[in-house]
Amino acid sequence: LLRLLLGFERPQGGSVTLSGRPLSSYGHRELAGRIAYVPQAHSAPFPYSVKDVVLLGRIAKRGYLRQPDDADRLVCDKAIAQLGIERLAARPYTTLSGGERQLTLIARALAQEARVLIFDEPSSALDYGNQLRLLARLRALADEGYAVLFTTHHPEHVFRAADRVALLIDGRI
């Protein structure tokens, strides 16, 4: 389902639309400006700092070749602060715990400034306290007008953060 919603797969029937347009009609950069995705797990091949990983979320706005400017850095600093990971900003991403990496990727998605946020088990690597803080942040983002979609294996999480729920059993809703 997530692969369909992200445009990685084509539907066997019907269509997937965003703002009334078929997802397939969007270019990669335009789609990245509208949808941000946070995978369940991620490993970086290089020891980028947390701030640099978050800055990568700005590529959808500025392109690959333009260097980040002060406005990009301000957006990144705000995203880092929203997740409460300022203390990690200078640390190499490769040295972080799984939960710290997850929070960094969520900050990257926020820095992308897309209005649709898709999370694949965003709390999977987080301790209980950070799970609760993250769910509160997802709820706040939805209240701010973001479309927030997340998967979870924890039914109690939907009570804290979701307005609507789709339960999948054997690939069917």
Side-chain angles (χ1 to χ4, degrees):
L1 180 60
L2 293 184
R3 294 184 62 73
L4 284 170
L5 294 174
L6 293 164
F8 298 155
E9 304 265 343
R10 298 222 185 259
Q12 293 175 354
S15 64
V16 178
T17 62
L18 177 64
S19 300
R21 280 178 53 195
L23 213 56
S24 59
S25 72
Y26 288 90
H28 293 293
R29 188 167 168 196
E30 184 181 13
L31 196 57
R34 294 179 177 255
I35 299 174
Y37 171 60
V38 177
Q40 182 178 5
H42 176 264
S43 61
F46 302 106
Y48 296 116
S49 71
V50 165
K51 186 163 186 171
D52 286 339
V53 170
V54 176
L55 270 170
L56 290 172
R58 301 300 296 161
I59 290 174
K61 298 287 184 196
R62 63 179 164 78
Y64 287 104
L65 300 178
R66 200 180 110 232
Q67 290 294 314
D69 58 20
D70 290 340
D72 292 321
R73 287 182 183 81
L74 187 62
V75 169
C76 289
D77 289 343
K78 181 182 173 189
I80 287 169
Q82 283 180 300
L83 275 294
I85 58 171
E86 299 94 334
R87 72 193 184 290
L88 304 176
R91 285 196 40 203
Y93 179 80
T94 53
T95 66
L96 302 179
S97 71
E100 290 168 334
R101 285 184 188 196
Q102 194 71 354
L103 292 171
T104 301
L105 293 178
I106 293 166
R108 181 184 70 181
L110 294 177
Q112 198 170 321
E113 294 185 314
R115 298 303 294 181
V116 178
L117 305 171
I118 298 177
F119 301 93
D120 186 6
E121 297 193 45
S123 63
S124 63
L126 300 178
D127 60 56
Y128 187 70
N130 276 320
Q131 286 180 23
L132 296 179
R133 281 186 284 283
L134 172 66
L135 293 169
R137 186 69 201 130
L138 295 182
R139 177 73 258 158
L141 288 166
D143 292 342
E144 292 168 21
Y146 286 86
V148 178
L149 178 112
F150 69 94
T151 63
T152 183
H153 289 285
H154 302 281
E156 69 275 12
H157 288 181
V158 299
F159 294 113
R160 291 191 170 273
D163 292 322
R164 298 174 74 187
V165 177
L167 179 64
L168 298 177
I169 299 173
D170 296 327
R172 300 184 68 197
I173 294 177

